[in-house]
Amino acid sequence: MSTGSSVALTDAQREEYNPFLSMQKGFNTAADYLGLDEGLREVLRSPDRELTVYLPVMMDDGGVRVFTGYRVQHNFSRGPCKGGIRFAPDVNIDEVRALSAWMTWKCSVVDVPFGGGKGGVICDPREMSAGELERLTRRYTASIMDILGPDRDVPAPDMNTNEQTMAWIMDTYSMHVRNTTTAIVTGKPLAIGGSRGRTEATGRGVMISCREAMKKIGLRPEDTRVVVQGSGNVGGIGALLLYREGYKIISLSDMYGSVYREEGLDVPAVLAHLREHRRLEGYTDAEHRPNAGQLEVDCDLLVPAATENQITSENADRIKAKLIVEGANGPTTAKASEILHQRGVVIVPDILANAGGVTVSYFEWVQDRMGYFWTEEVVNSRLEQVMVKAFNEVYSTAEKYKVSLRTAAYILSIERVASVYHLRGIFA
Ligand code: NAD
């Protein structure tokens, strides 16, 4: 159930599905373990800055439409804000706020020197031409550029934005400041300062998280049946890398439906079909099913890699997986996390599991600033080191405090950000 669902929600559901409240619950639990004082809690819970912009865009039919966009900078105490920009019809300020805060905790979990930021524009990219998307992206960039900069806030792709979007942002920013500023965004095409390995980085980080968690649980790839929700940058690439490691991917979905094959899907063939047809529909070597119930399919490992609020108090009891590795941001509500934790289901939380993307974004930013580019092997092996170290640090924090991996990830990351405030002081 996404927050943008047209189904009327009860008050309890509205509260459960509010990603900002969900983030705050995770934060508060961890802050209690750390014994953080109320003043610092308030600072860390609140975004630093929120910008709402209204964007006139010339449409192909000659008319002008005004779109609403946001950029939220949650915290930049550890370095420039870092976080993606999403284009979707159900973008809202609470979602962008939560995603922005999650970026602060995510950068801290993997210990990259960034704070958290996030942006979004309310639009339906499926109904827009490339020209309309380019004009929208450029206008959005121009409207938020006062708060952007390689040392201030460095956007990246997120849902429905990609390398091309980043190229437009980089160009628009560069035209305004009168020099080519490659380090203003990450996730760019290679030819204009992108990093090798960035496109696959989030999926690769998900794969590494699965592998490390499986070692702890005692599962072997060849015995593991996997369900992946979403087949975009994170889900598609994550599924492919897991498939190459010998996992059996039995179900994969996109927003229109899912494909299922008990013996395991031929993931490269499914992705080739997707590249050609842009949806799973029509793929021949699998059973087609509606999305409802996909997460409840009997499997060992579940990778929700589509959007938030997919595992809720309504379906948590029906989830069969022993291990959930969160490719998406916020796919499990706080209430559902609690239910699953009680049931002994291990969840590798989003702020750890999908941190491969921001880690290689950091590598990209470093390479842009040095003007010296690394090989894919160097990028992948540094990513591997960062992810394994972060996983083990979160795991040992969970053992130390006897808490879930999610609470442990929050404890570790909040402790790091709090220590910066202890050193720098609060400018109050
Ligand atoms: P994407 O647009 O490339 O892919 C999203 C996929 O999810 C598509 O296949 C889409 O059809 C599918 N989808 C959407 N709603 C669905 C639904 N209700 N059921 C089933 N499938 C659905 O987006 P992405 O970049 O892969 O991002 C996915 C998630 O991962 C988001 O939560 C995003 O914030 C998070 N994330 C992305 C990155 C990154 O580097 N791209 C990094 C960290 C986290």
Side-chain angles (χ1 to χ4, degrees):
M1 168 80 67
S2 102
T3 40
S5 165
S6 54
V7 178
L9 301 178
T10 63
D11 285 348
Q13 284 172 323
R14 212 168 287 121
E15 190 181 325
E16 180 180 352
Y17 301 158
N18 182 318
F20 193 63
L21 292 180
S22 213
M23 187 283 298
Q24 293 211 337
K25 278 197 184 114
F27 173 87
N28 286 335
T29 309
D32 287 344
Y33 279 102
L34 289 168
L36 279 197
D37 71 71
E38 198 40 53
L40 186 52
R41 276 181 202 226
E42 183 108 30
V43 171
L44 296 182
R45 265 198 306 253
S46 320
D48 189 78
R49 177 153 54 185
E50 297 181 354
L51 185 59
T52 301
V53 287
Y54 299 96
L55 313 164
V57 174
M58 180 71 73
M59 305 304 281
D60 290 347
D61 64 7
V64 169
R65 256 185 74 191
V66 179
F67 293 85
T68 304
Y70 306 103
R71 185 75 189 169
V72 176
Q73 298 178 336
H74 173 255
N75 190 290
F76 49 80
S77 60
R78 299 179 81 248
C81 297
K82 189 82 195 82
I85 291 169
R86 70 171 49 172
F87 286 174
D90 56 355
V91 163
N92 61 76
I93 189 68
D94 268 343
E95 177 187 74
V96 181
R97 245 181 225 145
L99 291 163
S100 172
W102 275 320
M103 285 307 297
T104 302
W105 314 132
K106 192 182 298 184
C107 292
S108 178
V109 167
V110 283
D111 210 6
V112 297
F114 286 139
K118 201 82 182 189
V121 177
I122 305 171
C123 64
D124 191 347
R126 288 171 305 178
E127 289 177 0
M128 296 173 71
S129 69
E132 289 169 341
L133 284 170
E134 174 172 355
R135 292 190 289 279
L136 174 66
T137 305
R138 288 186 183 278
R139 182 64 211 231
Y140 173 68
T141 309
S143 295
I144 65 168
M145 74 171 278
D146 286 345
I147 63 168
L148 297 184
D151 289 308
R152 289 175 158 193
D153 186 349
V154 184
D158 193 72
M159 281 173 73
N160 301 319
T161 57
N162 54 27
E163 284 197 348
Q164 177 60 73
T165 324
M166 297 305 112
W168 290 328
I169 295 176
M170 192 276 252
D171 184 70
T172 307
Y173 184 89
S174 297
M175 289 297 130
H176 279 83
V177 298
R178 303 285 190 265
N179 60 54
T180 292
T181 311
T182 52
I184 181 61
V185 279
T186 59
K188 300 176 292 293
L190 265 184
I192 54 169
S195 175
R196 290 185 173 78
R198 173 60 185 90
T199 309
E200 303 79 22
T202 309
R204 184 170 295 281
V206 166
M207 181 272 284
I208 296 168
S209 300
C210 293
R211 190 191 62 208
E212 295 306 304
M214 301 247 306
K215 280 191 214 157
K216 303 285 185 194
I217 295 178
L219 274 172
R220 295 181 314 165
E222 56 274 29
D223 303 328
T224 306
R225 294 160 308 150
V226 190
V227 169
V228 180
Q229 185 193 38
S231 44
N233 179 272
V234 184
I237 294 172
L240 181 64
L241 295 175
L242 289 170
Y243 169 87
R244 288 192 188 142
E245 295 288 309
Y247 295 73
K248 203 200 272 188
I249 316 297
I250 59 170
S251 173
L252 196 58
S253 63
D254 64 12
M255 63 172 66
Y256 309 103
S258 66
V259 286
Y260 176 84
R261 189 168 185 272
E262 200 172 341
E263 311 76 49
L265 293 160
D266 178 348
V267 177
V270 177
L271 297 183
H273 175 91
L274 258 180
R275 269 193 303 277
E276 195 179 339
H277 303 279
R278 299 174 65 124
R279 45 170 89 193
L280 293 169
E281 199 181 297
Y283 177 71
T284 46
D285 195 18
E287 185 186 323
H288 285 263
R289 295 179 170 186
N291 271 338
Q294 192 217 4
L295 304 180
E296 298 152 30
V297 163
D298 191 12
C299 68
D300 306 292
L301 166 60
L302 174 60
V303 182
T307 186
E308 56 258 24
N309 294 332
Q310 298 302 298
I311 306 176
T312 68
S313 55
E314 275 156 47
N315 61 4
D317 276 331
R318 298 194 297 273
I319 302 283
K320 316 243 178 1
K322 306 174 188 66
L323 173 63
I324 298 175
V325 176
E326 295 182 334
N329 287 312
T332 315
T333 65
K335 238 174 163 177
S337 269
E338 191 47 43
I339 296 169
L340 290 160
H341 182 57
Q342 297 301 335
R343 281 184 42 207
V345 178
V346 175
I347 304 178
V348 183
D350 45 9
I351 58 172
L352 170 62
N354 68 34
V358 78
T359 302
V360 176
S361 274
Y362 165 58
F363 296 164
E364 180 174 333
W365 179 81
V366 169
Q367 292 171 78
D368 286 338
R369 292 169 72 103
M370 292 165 72
Y372 176 67
F373 291 87
W374 312 345
T375 63
E376 189 163 351
E377 291 69 35
V378 169
V379 171
N380 288 347
S381 88
R382 289 182 178 167
L383 171 62
E384 167 89 23
Q385 282 170 31
V386 170
M387 290 301 298
V388 171
K389 177 170 173 280
F391 184 90
N392 287 320
E393 285 174 342
V394 170
Y395 198 85
S396 49
T397 306
E399 286 186 322
K400 177 175 161 194
Y401 288 91
K402 299 193 175 23
V403 292
S404 66
L405 293 177
R406 187 184 312 283
T407 300
Y410 273 109
I411 290 176
L412 183 69
S413 60
I414 292 167
E415 195 171 28
R416 280 191 183 134
V417 180
S419 74
V420 169
Y421 279 88
H422 289 136
L423 291 165
R424 289 179 59 165
I426 297 174
F427 183 20

